[in-house]
Amino acid sequence: KSFKYKFRHVFGQAAKNDQCYDDIRVSRVTWDSSFCAVNPKFVALIIEASGGGAFLVLPLQKTGRIDKSYPTVCGHTGPVLDIDWCPHNDHVIASGSEDCTVMVWQIPENGLVTSMAEPVVVLEGHSKRVGIITWHPTARNVLLSAGCDNQIVIWNVGTGEAMITLEDMHPDVIYNVTWNRNGSLICTACKDKAIRVIDPRKEMIVAEKEKAHEGARPMRAIFLSNGNVLTTGFSRMSERQLALWNPDNMEEPMTVNEMDTSNGVLLPFYDPDTNVVYLCGKGDSSIRYFEITDEAPYVHFLSTFATKEPQRGMGYMPKRGLDVNKCEIARFYKLHERKCEPIVMTVPRKSDLFQDDLYPDTSGPDHALEAEEWFDGKNGDPILISLKNGYVPGKNREFKVVKKNILDTKNTENSTPANKSASPTPSIVTGGLLLVCRCCSTHSLTHKLRALLLLWAPAAGRPAAPHPQHSGTQPMSLSSCAL
């Protein structure tokens, strides 16, 4: 019987010039990440930067020419290699860099007004450059990073601690890492030509396929919503391939599709709601898309969206950021050498009514688990939302990092009982990061100065001035503090 395509008629359309982001110097660093990350509020792009690494964060509506003086996120001392928006807070973004660090940033409600050089937290643990960053899909404040030290580190960003380090699993460079739908497993593609399914909390490889693709060029591997693994790579004859694997039996692929002999790495973007996978080749000028089904031959070619200009990178909008009134099923942000161009994929429908077959309930911004619950072994499926009335982004929620202050413990050890009852010292986050007022957890310049004064005053024999707005150690919100 013939296959009934659910999304046979998907049409791509590039945005008009006035809807593009122009005069952007896209990064030239040699690394096969997407260089772009998008959410319903912002588009972030890795750019060329002298004397370090930087990326732009633009409100989606900030189209047109971007001034050279537009503020950047510029705290890294080496080129930025990968960026990823937090799925549970549209104002929080993580970045990995050649400087071996991971940094997490909180973007103001309406975007940057001045350049941002101080992250909310710096995560240090890799010994070589960090090329892969990906947030946990359902647990809050859980971030995975992978470096050229062939290690994977999973962080509790809320405390700034490395909770899991996966060593000795990958003998060579890791090309990519993705989570499965509920974040209980990860899948990796490595330069040794193997794909691995790993249970990170048990620190155990649960499935492995050596030579998933015979070619020497980089591979990619992603989980599908049913638990199968989709890979892109190259044959021995340098043909680009798309393959599907069942982790319960990795001996042979479920199917292999051979495409062409171009040498660009195929970046897969997957929509679990429609089971459509989009393949964007680096250096290609086209996007191919396929529908994945549960019956052989499993992978069905739909169409190709072709343009004239090659793509340097690609951003992919989460489903909740799409315009349901226009029957958008995907939106890409294509990076050229000097601009970013939105590309909209639509399924034309005659009716103006909500198309529930195009928009089943999708992953929303709420987390299912706290970080501690996930590290303790709990799993949680994504919390789904309906797009029937469109998605309304929430307000900026303050992102807090609570770290133990090593200075506090040292002061306590060396102090007399009388000093122990003195006013609380503002905590100083270690690692050259930032000073945080313990009363209200803010990190403004005023609070940094006050924190320094509070530390200095007792040492100089002066009484420590209390915080003018409130005393004690109860946290307060940023808005309730006048400083």
Side-chain angles (χ1 to χ4, degrees):
K1 65 179 182 181
S2 62
F3 171 67
K4 187 177 186 303
Y5 289 95
K6 194 174 178 184
F7 299 101
R8 184 62 170 161
H9 303 290
V10 178
F11 294 96
Q13 173 115 34
K16 295 187 171 74
N17 279 342
D18 62 347
Q19 294 301 306
C20 295
Y21 308 86
D22 276 315
D23 219 10
I24 293 164
R25 293 170 301 137
V26 175
S27 174
R28 294 176 175 277
V29 70
T30 308
W31 186 251
D32 285 322
S33 75
S34 58
F35 288 1
C36 181
V38 199
N39 69 24
K41 286 191 174 183
F42 300 105
V43 53
L45 316 110
I46 303 175
I47 57 169
E48 281 289 290
S50 54
F55 58 96
L56 277 174
V57 175
L58 304 171
L60 287 186
Q61 65 275 16
K62 174 74 180 153
T63 53
R65 184 178 172 276
I66 307 301
D67 197 271
K68 284 184 174 58
S69 62
Y70 195 87
T72 61
V73 180
C74 54
H76 284 287
T77 57
V80 177
L81 300 177
D82 198 17
I83 48 178
D84 194 32
W85 287 105
C86 175
H88 310 122
N89 187 333
D90 285 342
H91 292 262
V92 171
I93 187 169
S95 57
S97 164
E98 278 194 10
D99 65 11
C100 308
T101 68
V102 176
M103 294 185 180
V104 179
W105 313 83
Q106 175 137 23
I107 306 301
E109 180 69 37
N110 299 311
L112 297 178
V113 180
T114 58
S115 286
M116 184 178 280
E118 283 199 348
V120 180
V121 65
V122 179
L123 305 173
E124 295 177 300
H126 287 283
S127 59
K128 291 188 178 177
R129 62 183 184 166
V130 182
I132 297 166
I133 296 288
T134 179
W135 292 89
H136 192 283
T138 62
R140 186 165 74 129
N141 291 348
V142 176
L143 179 66
L144 179 149
S145 63
C148 290
D149 53 8
N150 309 338
Q151 292 190 7
I152 293 173
V153 182
I154 303 178
W155 310 83
N156 181 344
V157 179
T159 61
E161 295 173 285
M163 303 295 290
I164 297 169
T165 301
L166 302 178
E167 303 173 293
D168 307 323
M169 287 188 179
H170 299 88
D172 213 326
V173 174
I174 300 165
Y175 286 139
N176 88 304
V177 185
T178 56
W179 298 93
N180 67 347
R181 189 149 168 82
N182 72 355
S184 59
L185 299 171
I186 59 174
C187 179
T188 68
C190 180
K191 194 175 180 180
D192 68 351
K193 301 183 184 178
I195 56 172
R196 295 171 177 87
V197 176
I198 298 168
D199 184 327
R201 289 169 296 188
K202 292 180 180 172
E203 302 188 17
M204 184 174 77
I205 297 172
V206 296
E208 184 173 5
K209 174 61 180 176
E210 295 178 359
K211 292 194 176 177
H213 296 272
E214 297 272 356
R217 301 275 300 140
M219 302 189 306
R220 286 288 184 277
I222 59 171
F223 271 112
L224 303 182
S225 55
N226 63 4
N228 288 338
V229 173
L230 182 139
T231 62
T232 64
F234 294 79
S235 71
R236 193 177 292 154
M237 306 300 291
S238 295
E239 286 181 305
R240 292 199 290 194
Q241 296 177 319
L242 170 68
L244 199 60
W245 307 84
N246 179 349
D248 294 332
N249 180 11
M250 300 279 267
E251 284 298 308
E252 293 294 327
M254 296 165 66
T255 182
V256 178
N257 283 32
E258 299 200 336
M259 283 173 283
D260 57 22
T261 52
S262 178
N263 63 359
V265 177
L266 285 169
L267 305 178
F269 297 93
Y270 172 63
D271 177 7
D273 304 332
T274 58
N275 269 314
V276 174
V277 65
Y278 303 85
L279 300 185
C280 306
K282 271 213 150 180
D284 287 12
S285 53
S286 62
I287 301 172
R288 290 180 177 84
Y289 34 107
F290 301 79
E291 193 171 333
I292 314 292
T293 61
D294 292 331
E295 296 178 11
Y298 307 110
V299 176
H300 307 270
F301 174 72
L302 292 178
S303 188
T304 300
F305 172 75
T307 58
K308 292 177 183 174
E309 298 289 325
Q311 53 227 16
R312 295 278 295 279
M314 194 72 79
Y316 180 62
M317 177 67 79
K319 206 66 175 287
R320 57 194 171 90
L322 303 181
D323 188 341
V324 298
N325 298 317
K326 293 180 180 172
C327 294
E328 256 187 273
I329 66 162
R331 192 190 311 155
F332 293 92
Y333 287 74
K334 174 182 171 180
L335 299 189
H336 299 243
E337 201 169 322
R338 299 283 300 188
K339 77 171 180 180
C340 173
E341 174 187 43
I343 294 171
V344 172
M345 301 284 182
T346 55
V347 177
R349 293 285 165 92
K350 290 178 181 175
S351 169
D352 290 335
L353 297 175
F354 178 72
Q355 306 294 319
D356 51 12
D357 63 321
L358 298 184
Y359 304 107
D361 289 356
T362 192
S363 297
D366 292 331
H367 55 275
L369 300 169
E370 293 293 341
E372 292 75 14
E373 294 178 294
W374 184 80
F375 286 114
D376 285 343
K378 280 187 75 174
N379 291 322
D381 289 330
I383 296 176
L384 305 181
I385 58 170
S386 169
L387 297 177
K388 188 160 189 175
N389 300 312
Y391 172 70
V392 180
K395 284 288 181 191
N396 188 359
R397 293 173 291 179
E398 191 190 353
F399 179 76
K400 292 183 179 179
V401 176
V402 182
K403 281 196 175 184
K404 293 174 183 172
N405 174 15
I406 59 164
L407 294 185
D408 269 358
T409 56
K410 286 180 181 175
N411 288 345
T412 307
E413 288 165 8
N414 299 331
S415 64
T416 62
N419 287 341
K420 285 183 183 178
S421 61
S423 61
T425 322
S427 87
I428 296 188
V429 176
T430 57
L433 177 54
L434 46 88
L435 293 152
V436 182
C437 172
R438 190 188 292 156
C439 317
C440 56
S441 301
T442 63
H443 45 271
S444 66
L445 180 60
T446 316
H447 275 126
K448 290 182 187 180
L449 294 172
R450 182 168 298 280
L452 286 169
L453 286 169
L454 283 168
L455 284 176
W456 165 78
R462 298 170 182 242
H467 191 296
Q469 292 298 316
H470 44 273
S471 58
T473 58
Q474 291 301 312
M476 292 185 65
S477 69
L478 189 60
S479 58
S480 64
C481 176
L483 283 181

